[in-house]
Amino acid sequence: MALRLRDLIRQVRACKTAAEERAVIAKESAMIRTAIREEQEQYRHRNVAKLLFMHMLGYPTHFGQLECMKLVASPHFPEKRIGYLGMMLLLSEEADVLMLATNSLKNDLNSDNRFIAGLALCAIGNLATADMSRDLAPEVDKHLKSSQPYLRKKACLAMCRCLTKCPDMVEDFVDRFVTLLKDRSHGVLITVVELM
């Protein structure tokens, strides 16, 4: 069985040399690869969390990108949270795997849970490509009209990324920006200024 994240951190901290650290990471990477091959779903979120730790240490973790997509598609919030964090850290906008996330992002943007919608908006704000921006802009726009400032400010930042990738869409949203400038929430006002 694979280590827990805290046990991996303890082992890495206990290493006296860089060679020892590389050996610990190589052993755990092999265990994670085996778990991925064997489709061990109950450890998927734990393995992605360990991959994030390895990524922070500078080790290659590209083999875990698809696992992040699987966690994003999960119906459970804790798994989604790790999946989105992994997606934002392990993927870049050039990654081919990112196109698989568009449908999950669209579903999560339409979620009744504001925290799930917030995760999707953060991911769009960090990773949206031009194609994703065109596909998801209507859902992001719905959140610009949300009654919750939490979602409005995240939607402003997501829309900023979308408009950076697709400047031709600016005319469609100008009226919305004027409305948002009259918002009572300071967090929303700060993010609207970013849009301008």
Side-chain angles (χ1 to χ4, degrees):
M1 185 177 107
L3 294 170
R4 290 187 156 173
L5 175 60
R6 100 174 49 120
D7 297 331
L8 176 63
I9 293 170
R10 280 190 190 120
Q11 282 188 5
V12 168
R13 284 184 177 170
C15 293
K16 302 283 188 239
T17 64
E20 278 182 52
E21 181 181 296
R22 282 192 300 273
V24 167
I25 296 294
K27 180 180 174 191
E28 194 57 33
S29 290
M31 298 279 277
I32 292 171
R33 282 189 179 99
T34 302
I36 290 171
R37 255 193 319 277
E38 295 173 357
E39 291 288 322
Q40 296 178 358
E41 290 184 34
Q42 71 271 23
Y43 298 120
R44 186 173 283 150
H45 65 284
R46 180 187 295 177
N47 289 336
V48 170
K50 288 188 287 189
L51 286 173
L52 293 174
F53 175 68
M54 291 177 197
H55 177 75
M56 288 189 318
L57 294 175
Y59 293 97
T61 55
H62 59 278
F63 58 90
Q65 292 176 343
L66 218 54
E67 293 299 291
C68 294
M69 296 297 112
K70 291 175 185 175
L71 284 174
V72 165
S74 168
H76 307 293
F77 178 73
E79 291 179 359
K80 261 187 196 304
R81 186 175 56 191
I82 292 288
Y84 273 114
L85 181 61
M87 189 170 81
M88 287 186 273
L89 291 175
L90 300 181
L91 296 175
S92 68
E93 64 181 89
E94 291 87 29
D96 296 332
V97 180
L98 193 57
M99 289 314 296
L100 299 173
T102 305
N103 195 36
S104 292
L105 285 166
K106 190 173 275 197
N107 291 339
D108 289 344
L109 284 171
N110 293 320
S111 172
D112 293 333
N113 185 333
R114 69 181 178 151
F115 298 112
I116 291 176
L119 287 172
L121 289 167
C122 281
I124 292 168
N126 285 305
L127 290 172
T129 62
D131 293 334
M132 286 174 71
S133 297
R134 277 188 217 92
D135 293 342
L136 299 173
E139 277 79 14
V140 174
D141 184 42
K142 285 182 208 169
H143 289 294
L144 286 173
K145 303 174 209 169
S146 173
S147 62
Q148 301 175 24
Y150 174 80
L151 289 175
R152 283 196 309 271
K153 68 182 175 184
K154 288 184 180 288
C156 283
L157 293 174
M159 187 56 77
C160 184
R161 173 73 176 215
C162 291
L163 296 178
T164 301
K165 293 295 174 183
C166 297
D168 54 309
M169 295 190 313
V170 171
E171 291 84 26
D172 301 334
F173 300 102
V174 171
D175 296 336
R176 182 91 52 246
F177 305 151
V178 173
T179 306
L180 287 169
L181 280 171
K182 299 172 186 167
D183 201 286
R184 296 184 65 175
S185 169
H186 294 289
V188 174
L189 290 172
I190 290 169
T191 56
V192 171
V193 171
E194 178 72 25
L195 271 168
M196 309 197 110

